[in-house]
């Protein structure tokens, strides 16, 4: 079973590059561009790790960490 990672990143290029690297290492990556969407996804499923950008358009990455 692949470890599941939630990636919250608003920069599409950075997200796609990181997702490619993580997928190649055997991780299953779910990506959202907004913190609010990421929090919804996080509450719906079990993730082994959450990676979040610190500066997002709708919330800060620290707010995401506090919420989780």
């Amino acid at each position: 079973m692949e470890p599941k990672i939630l990636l919250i990143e608003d920069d599409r290029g950075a997200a796609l590059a990181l997702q490619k690297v993580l997928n190649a290492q055997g991780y299953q990556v779910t990506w959202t561009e907004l913190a609010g969407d990421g929090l919804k996804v996080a509450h719906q499923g079990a993730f082994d790790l959450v990676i979040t950008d610190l500066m997002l358009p709708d919330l800060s990455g620290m707010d995401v960490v506090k919420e989780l």
Side-chain angles (χ1 to χ4, degrees):
M1 181 178 198
E2 296 177 324
K4 292 173 58 176
I5 296 177
L6 173 59
L7 173 60
I8 306 171
E9 170 61 68
D10 62 324
D11 181 321
R12 180 176 292 273
L16 292 174
L18 186 54
Q19 188 172 15
K20 182 178 180 179
V21 169
L22 292 170
N23 287 150
Q25 296 298 313
Y27 295 98
Q28 178 184 340
V29 180
T30 301
W31 168 50
T32 67
E33 293 183 80
L34 297 174
D37 294 340
L39 288 170
K40 288 178 191 172
V41 170
H43 291 301
Q44 292 172 356
F47 290 90
D48 299 296
L49 178 69
V50 175
I51 300 172
T52 182
D53 188 344
L54 288 178
M55 297 186 331
L56 295 160
D58 55 342
L59 289 173
S60 76
M62 292 309 295
D63 290 331
V64 171
V65 172
K66 289 176 188 174
E67 176 70 25
L68 293 175

